[in-house]
Amino acid sequence: MAALRQYLVVWRIPGAPTLFIFGIIGRLGIGMTPLALLLVVEDVTGRYSLAGVAGAIYAVAGAVLSPLAGRIADRVGPTPVLLVTAVAHPLALLALLLAHGHGLAVIYGATAVAGATYPPMSAALRGAWNDVTAPSTGRYPLRNIALAAETALFELVFVVGPLLVAGFVLVADATAALAGAGIVTLVGTVVVALGRVMRGWQPHPKSAHAKGLGPLRIGGFPSLLFCVFGLGTAFGATGITVPAFASAEGVADPDSLAGVLLAVWAVGSATGGFWFGTRKLRDNLTRQFAVLLGLLAATFAVFAVMPTPTALGIALVFGGVVIAPALTLENTMVGRIAPGSMLNEAYTWVVTVSVGASAFGGAAAGWLIDKAGVPWAFVFAGLAVAAAALVAAPAGGPIARSEKAAAVRLESALTPDSV
C-alpha cells in the first residue's frame, strides 16, 4: 500500500494523468507501425525481404532526424514540434497507403517520410517529467517514481501494439492496422502537446542553446550513449533470437509462441520497473547502473541454456525484472548530466542510438543463428550488455565523474540559500 501511495502522489501532479495515459496512446504506433508496415509492403510486393527493407528505411529515417527534432524542441518548446509531427506522420502513412500502385521507389520514399516525421514523444515526455520534478518545484523526490512509472508503462506499447495489429488484421486487413496506428499517434500526440505540462514549458536563454554537437560534447554523455548502444544491441538481438528459438522447437505456431515469450519478457520488465520506482536511489547512481547492467548481462547466459519454451518463458519473466530499473537509471542520468537547455536533444540521441543498435543487434544475431545456433546469439546479447557494464563501472570513469558533478549541482539547487 505504501508503494501504491507513492504512485498516487505522482498521479496527482498537475498534468500527470495526461502524460501517462495519452503518452502511451500516442506511442502505440511504436508497437504497431513496424509490424503493420511489414505486412502492408509484403502484401504489395509478395516478398518479406522487400518489406524488411521498408522497415529498415522507416527506422533509420526516424533515428537520423530525431536529434534535429529534439534540438528544435529545446529552442521553441515541445508543443510546436509535437503538433507538426502529429499531423505530418499520419499524412505520410496515408501517402504510403496510396502509393501501392506507384512502384517500390514511391513506397520507400513515403516510408522514409513516415519514419522521419514520427513525433519525438518519448524524448518530450522524459523531458517533461524532469521539468515537473525539478528541484525548484519541491517534487524532486518524486522523480525516480515518475520515471520508473514512465519506463514501466512504456513496456505496454510493445505488448498492446502488436495485439492491436493482430486485431485489425483479423477484422479487416494490414492497411487498416497502419491507418489505426496513424490515428492513435495523432490523437495521443495532440492531447499531450496541448496539455498543461507541455504548454508550461519555459524557454532557455539563447546563450544556452545547443550548438554543433550539442549534448555530445557534455562529459560522460558519449559514454552513457555507449551503454545505451549495448542495451539496444541486446534488445535487437533478442527480438530475432526468441523467434528463432520458437521456430527451432518445431511447434505448430512458432510466431505465436515467440510473441508470448517476448510479451512475458516485457511483463517482467514492467513489474521490475514499478517495484524499482518505490526504492530510494542510492548516492552512487553509476555503480547501481553498472550492477543492474551486469545482472542483465547474466540473464542472457541463462537464456542460452534453457532447454524448453516453458523454461525460457520463466527465465524471461525473471530476467526481464532488471530491464526497466536499468532503463530508469539511464533516463535519470541523462536528465542529470545533460543541461536543461539540451534535454530534448539528449533524450532523442538516446532514441537514435537505441534504434541503430537494435538494427545492428538484430542483424548480428541473425548471422550468428545461421552460423553457430540460437544459444550463441543469446551469448552475444549478453556480451553487449556486459561491455556496457564495464564502461559504466569505473569509479573514476567519465560517467561517474559527470554524475558526481551533477550531484553537486543538484545538492546546491536543493539547499535553500542561507540567510
Side-chain angles (χ1 to χ4, degrees):
M1 290 301 294
L4 180 59
R5 284 195 293 270
Q6 293 182 60
Y7 282 109
L8 287 176
V9 173
V10 174
W11 177 264
R12 294 189 182 109
I13 295 175
T18 297
L19 296 181
F20 280 133
I21 297 172
F22 288 94
I24 294 301
I25 292 173
R27 289 179 292 175
L28 282 174
I30 295 175
M32 294 178 66
T33 304
L35 177 56
L37 176 65
L38 179 75
L39 297 175
V40 166
V41 177
E42 190 279 330
D43 184 57
V44 173
T45 63
R47 295 174 61 183
Y48 276 104
S49 59
L50 297 179
V53 171
I57 291 172
Y58 178 85
V60 170
V64 169
L65 292 182
S66 185
L68 175 61
R71 180 165 296 192
I72 295 172
D74 281 327
R75 295 190 177 191
V76 304
T79 292
V81 176
L82 291 176
L83 289 176
V84 169
T85 52
V87 175
H89 179 70
L91 289 177
L93 292 180
L94 177 62
L96 173 61
L97 294 176
L98 296 176
H100 283 188
H102 296 82
L104 197 58
V106 177
I107 293 175
Y108 284 166
T111 299
V113 175
T117 55
Y118 190 83
M121 275 279 281
S122 289
L125 287 166
R126 290 162 188 168
W129 284 117
N130 277 273
D131 288 341
V132 299
T133 59
S136 59
T137 66
R139 303 190 193 104
Y140 182 78
L142 299 176
R143 178 171 293 183
N144 182 55
I145 306 170
L147 288 175
E150 150 66 19
T151 302
L153 286 172
F154 186 47
E155 295 289 346
L156 295 176
V157 166
F158 301 101
V159 177
V160 177
L163 291 177
L164 286 174
V165 172
F168 273 109
V169 171
L170 183 64
V171 300
D173 55 21
T175 298
L178 196 60
I183 291 171
V184 294
T185 299
L186 171 65
V187 173
T189 305
V190 168
V191 173
V192 169
L194 297 178
R196 64 185 297 171
V197 175
M198 294 299 176
R199 288 187 291 106
W201 178 87
Q202 296 296 316
H204 300 279
K206 289 186 178 180
S207 59
H209 288 169
K211 299 178 180 64
L213 295 176
L216 296 178
R217 295 183 291 111
I218 303 301
F221 188 64
S223 297
L224 187 55
L225 286 182
F226 180 87
C227 298
V228 172
F229 186 88
L231 284 167
T233 298
F235 296 154
T238 305
I240 298 296
T241 308
V242 168
F245 176 92
S247 295
E249 289 299 303
V251 296
D253 191 354
D255 292 342
S256 295
L257 174 60
V260 170
L261 290 173
L262 290 173
V264 299
W265 200 38
V267 169
S269 175
T271 302
F274 281 116
W275 171 82
F276 186 73
T278 64
R279 304 297 97 188
K280 183 178 179 180
L281 289 179
R282 298 177 183 175
D283 293 335
N284 193 329
L285 293 190
T286 52
R287 180 183 301 168
Q288 191 173 3
F289 185 50
V291 169
L292 287 170
L293 291 176
L295 290 173
L296 182 58
T299 66
F300 288 100
V302 175
F303 300 161
V305 297
M306 290 297 99
T308 65
T310 300
L312 180 60
I314 294 171
L316 285 166
V317 171
F318 285 99
V321 169
V322 189
I323 296 174
L327 294 177
T328 298
L329 280 182
E330 174 192 290
N331 290 325
T332 297
M333 288 193 291
V334 171
R336 286 160 65 101
I337 291 174
S341 60
M342 304 181 191
L343 203 53
N344 278 281
E345 183 178 350
Y347 278 121
T348 53
W349 272 113
V350 171
V351 174
T352 292
V353 171
S354 296
V355 171
S358 180
F360 165 73
W367 183 84
L368 273 171
I369 290 166
D370 288 340
K371 297 295 183 180
V374 168
W376 288 105
F378 278 130
V379 171
F380 163 73
L383 290 174
V385 181
L390 291 175
V391 169
I399 299 177
R401 292 197 303 270
S402 294
E403 172 55 32
K404 288 178 183 176
V408 171
R409 293 193 300 269
L410 177 62
E411 184 177 357
S412 175
L414 291 173
T415 302
D417 295 334
S418 58
V419 178

